[in-house]
């Protein structure tokens, strides 16, 4: 069994991520299973022991063009400012795909990218969800507003609860990194900052939980439920 | 610096989990930081490299009495059937605490427990959220119903959308394990099965994302928003 060939190939691992890659946008170049290779070799190829006996070499992740994501007049786009944890990024992709979002926008620097671990955490959803990288997230949010989108930033403690914001139509939901939240310029580029009302003593939501709550509140409003 | 002393102590690691343990219910016996120990020794004590330079030995996790959780007439309890991944369990605890839930119920067998990794994934929320173990989850749900709670099970594809269920009052939200969902007897013990309406091609939610969506829908309904 040959090693991965082309230096520009990506690795995808895990039963579901590999299955979704096969029915997704990028070519699957080859697949190794535990019939072909020992677990230690699969671990090394995957860079993780979480491969469930399946590792694939695929074409590089096809990042989308950010401008294309807001074409539909009811598009929901999630923008994530400097999330560091690839598992969080993958979890956000999974929820966004499940919510039928038009895509995800991430900064090209100081952010997790669509790594093999992100693919795994997304359960393969990244094979179907358009993900775009932009060099200047605040600038892109400004463009989105000019293009007719409403841009909502999630910020703990913001006076407006997320359920009072109108999340129908063309919207961008902006989430901050795990520790620091939204950078100032990104927050200033939003039409409105909203918070998810919390109780409790720790009373903080993980960024992927916050993304899921906002996405499905948007869907609820769109159903009029 | 001494090793952990009593064999029944638990380990908590990470800045925020240790800080929450200090203001939580259980005694913090000692704390090691990267001023005291090398990273490799902290790794070994924590059983993980994700300790951020802080590891503590604390009293064993004080599991709650399940019967006590539904006392309040507006109590929200989350019950989780056989979730395997400690990170998912911790993430659910974090969202439940943030939502002001009265507690979490897990089966005592074939379920992740409140391990050091679960404490970390909860960002310390487990130090404040009551968590109870029950030997028979279906049986406990039956008791909850007799006690006046409405028991809602989350099941992909169930005809009733979660937003149409009345999630006010005394409710139990039941979530299934990562792969198999709710066991049949557990599903049969629910008053109503609800689904979170999804779109997309993968169109499946992680169990911790589903928990967050249900919890904050319950809070929305309680605010009348």
């Amino acid at each position: 069994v040959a090693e991965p060939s082309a230096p520009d190939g990506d690795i995808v691992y895990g039963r579901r991520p590999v299955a979704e890659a096969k029915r997704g946008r990028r070519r699957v170049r080859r697949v190794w299973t535990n019939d072909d290779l020992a677990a230690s070799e699969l671990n090394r190829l995957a860079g993780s022991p979480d491969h469930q006996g399946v590792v694939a070499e695929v074409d590089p992740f096809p990042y989308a063009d950010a401008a294309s994501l807001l074409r539909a007049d009811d598009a929901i786009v999630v923008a994530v400012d400097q999330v560091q944890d690839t598992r969080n990024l993958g979890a956000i992709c999974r929820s966004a795909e499940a919510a039928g979002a038009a895509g995800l926008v991430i900064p090209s620097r100081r952010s997790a990218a669509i790594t093999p671990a992100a693919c795994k955490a997304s359960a393969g959803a990244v094979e179907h969800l358009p993900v775009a990288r932009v060099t200047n997230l605040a600038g892109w949010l400004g463009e989105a507003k000019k293009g007719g989108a409403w841009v909502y930033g999630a910020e703990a403690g913001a006076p407006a609860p997320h359920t009072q914001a109108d999340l129908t139509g063309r919207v961008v939901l902006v989430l901050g990194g795990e520790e620091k939240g939204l950078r100032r310029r990104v927050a200033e580029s939003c039409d409105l900052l909203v918070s998810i009302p919390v109780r409790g003593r720790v009373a903080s939501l993980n960024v992927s939980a916050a993304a899921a709550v906002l996405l499905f509140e948007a869907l609820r409003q769109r159903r009029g439920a």
Side-chain angles (χ1 to χ4, degrees), chain A:
Chain A
V1 177
E3 290 283 302
S5 52
D8 67 340
D10 273 11
I11 290 292
V12 169
Y13 61 82
R15 282 191 299 269
R16 195 149 177 196
V18 171
E20 296 302 334
K22 284 180 177 173
R23 64 187 199 117
R25 295 169 303 217
R26 52 183 167 168
R27 192 167 63 87
V28 175
R29 297 175 180 180
R30 71 188 76 186
V31 178
W32 299 269
T33 71
N34 45 16
D35 291 335
D36 309 314
L37 294 175
S40 62
E41 294 170 285
L42 291 175
N43 291 355
R44 191 176 50 77
L45 279 172
S48 161
D50 299 333
H51 49 68
Q52 303 170 310
V54 193
V55 180
E57 184 197 0
V58 298
D59 281 354
F61 186 77
Y63 286 98
D65 170 30
S68 71
L69 301 181
L70 284 163
R71 272 191 204 125
D73 61 9
D74 63 349
I76 305 175
V77 169
V78 178
V80 179
D81 188 23
Q82 298 191 326
V83 162
Q84 302 301 315
D85 182 334
T86 54
R87 280 187 63 147
N88 277 337
L89 184 66
I92 294 169
C93 289
R94 182 173 177 177
S95 293
E97 204 274 341
L104 185 86
V105 175
I106 54 179
S108 43
R109 292 193 303 167
R110 294 195 199 87
S111 165
I114 305 301
T115 61
C119 295
K120 178 67 167 64
S122 83
V126 294
E127 306 303 337
H128 311 294
L129 181 77
V131 179
R133 288 184 294 192
V134 295
T135 52
N136 178 342
L137 182 57
W140 184 78
L141 296 174
E143 293 299 313
K145 283 195 291 189
K146 277 186 214 158
W150 281 85
V151 177
Y152 296 100
E155 189 163 83
H162 69 294
T163 49
Q164 307 262 310
D166 179 358
L167 303 179
T168 62
R170 193 184 268 119
V171 300
V172 182
L173 306 173
V174 193
L175 294 135
E178 289 89 353
E179 300 281 331
K180 299 180 202 162
L182 301 173
R183 285 175 292 170
R184 193 168 60 85
R185 279 205 58 229
V186 170
E188 287 171 356
S189 301
C190 296
D191 287 300
L192 181 66
L193 297 177
V194 298
S195 62
I196 299 169
V198 289
R199 306 170 174 186
R201 293 191 65 188
V202 172
S204 82
L205 281 175
N206 173 277
V207 61
S208 68
V213 169
L214 293 177
L215 282 161
F216 285 90
E217 170 62 13
L219 259 58
R220 183 193 69 81
Q221 292 184 11
R222 282 148 201 253
R223 288 197 309 277

